[in-house]
Amino acid sequence: MVPNLVMALYRLGDTGPAVAEIRARLAFLGLLACGDDELGGASFETAVFDRAVDAAVRGFQQQRGASVDGIVGPQTWRLLDDARWRLGARVLWYSPSHLLSGDDVVELQQRLLGLGFDAGRADGIFGRDTEEALREFQRNVGILADGTCGPATFKALARLTRTVVGGTPTALREAEAIRRSGPTLAGKVVVLDPGHGGRDRGNCSGDLVEAVLAHDLAARVEGRLTATGVTAYLTRGRLGEDEVPPDEATRAASANSLGADLLISLHMDTAGSAAANGTATYFYGHRALGTRSAMGGRFADLLQRELTARTDLLDCGTHEKTWDLLRRSRMPAVRLELGYLSNPADAARLADPGFRDVVAEAVVVAVQRLYLPPDEDSPTGWLLLPDLVGG
Ligand SMILES: [Zn+2]
């Protein structure tokens, strides 16, 4: 193990033991040839992050729904670590202080869901839901209900698993939870997550700073949500320039501990080309593993619809991602990338407080639509905030 690896970023041209570890992980996954000469004719100490590694990292990131940048930082490292586990290779249990995660956990969750046990979302993290579903399964098959997935459980699972693909039971359960919570905003808890903050300014263009804009937008949404009876929280304040912002896992953990119904992360994008423009919304999902948050996807669609109906931002669609914030939150969660600061027209829009008010209104209407039964829904772009407050 290379304990410091998770603290650093590794990219094309880097060398050293951490790079050797990265190469070994990629080779194990069959993404990199693993002959001795492939270490760059070198020892452990001088392993090279060469073009082959760069291509393998990008391929892996694409496969896993991560940002494709060829850089191995904390998130990509965690995904690489998760990918090496197959169900049966290690004992799994609920460890609250350090939740076990990996592809073997996804497999366990999908099998439990396929058999009708409520393991929550198949997100690859062994949490309380997974433990409870496992105990229930163990009781049902008559083995010791200790919530630990060891040899006896592996055997029982192999005997019983039908070839049902997970996903549908999760979608039904998420929809049912939304239906039960009723068609009103009052009493809902929504967590708003302004991206970056403090030392991390995010994307910048002229006077525009993503961290500042995101906080301003969050405050505008917060005010409107509060007026509709929603309890809204922000994951961070207006941090000072020297302050360290919370990381994504911490932000997700705060939303979890607040028992939030919905998490909305607010960002603005940037690109190498000034021509790139438009707005996109991301939610938790992983095509290769066949897992996705159905309600996260639904809210992402609603948000895109409202935003593009009320503004002239280009519709860049909704996309599945495995980013920590989306993956580690227990409620439907989205990350909005509202326009490109590198595009002059988008930047001019974002600089206008009136525009940010329109965006805030679109966000609140999308939240309301999420909780309205489909037959009571009115056409996109028509619902106005006062209607919602009154209803
Ligand atoms: Zn950002």
Side-chain angles (χ1 to χ4, degrees), residues 10 39 75 111 114 117 173 181 196 223 225 233 237 259 272 283 285 308 330 342 347 360 373 380 385:
Y10 293 89
L39 257 138
Q75 289 210 25
R111 291 204 191 178
F117 297 94
R173 208 166 13 253
S181 69
H196 314 277
L225 280 177
Y233 295 97
F283 62 100
T308 51
R330 315 301 309 170
S342 45
T380 303
L385 218 40

Side-chain angles (χ1 to χ4, degrees), residues 240-386:
E241 277 180 21
D242 289 337
E243 288 185 80
V244 179
D247 63 15
E248 292 214 338
T250 307
R251 294 172 195 238
S254 2
N256 291 344
S257 65
L258 289 164
D261 295 290
L262 186 64
L263 171 61
I264 307 171
S265 186
L266 303 166
H267 287 254
M268 288 101 214
D269 219 333
T270 194
S273 157
N277 72 101
T279 186
T281 305
Y282 301 87
F283 62 100
Y284 176 74
H286 184 322
R287 213 169 289 261
L289 290 176
T291 175
R292 76 199 290 270
S293 164
M295 292 317 294
R298 166 126 196 271
F299 182 66
D301 285 342
L302 290 169
L303 186 55
Q304 280 296 117
R305 266 172 46 185
E306 292 302 329
L307 280 170
T308 51
R310 289 159 194 268
T311 69
D312 51 359
L313 286 166
L314 180 71
D315 186 355
C316 297
T318 63
H319 308 276
E320 297 179 3
K321 288 287 172 193
T322 55
W323 293 329
D324 266 358
L325 183 90
L326 302 177
R327 184 179 174 206
R328 293 181 175 265
S329 47
R330 315 301 309 170
M331 70 294 309
V334 301
R335 169 161 160 175
L336 171 63
E337 289 283 352
L338 180 75
Y340 283 77
L341 289 175
S342 45
N343 175 263
D346 278 3
R349 290 180 179 104
L350 287 162
D352 172 12
F355 177 83
R356 300 200 293 271
D357 275 333
V358 173
V359 169
E361 187 137 330
V363 173
V364 175
V365 172
V367 172
Q368 173 71 10
R369 284 193 189 282
L370 184 66
Y371 297 110
L372 274 178
D375 51 338
E376 287 174 36
D377 209 353
S378 38
T380 303
W382 285 82
L383 213 51
L384 295 175
L385 218 40

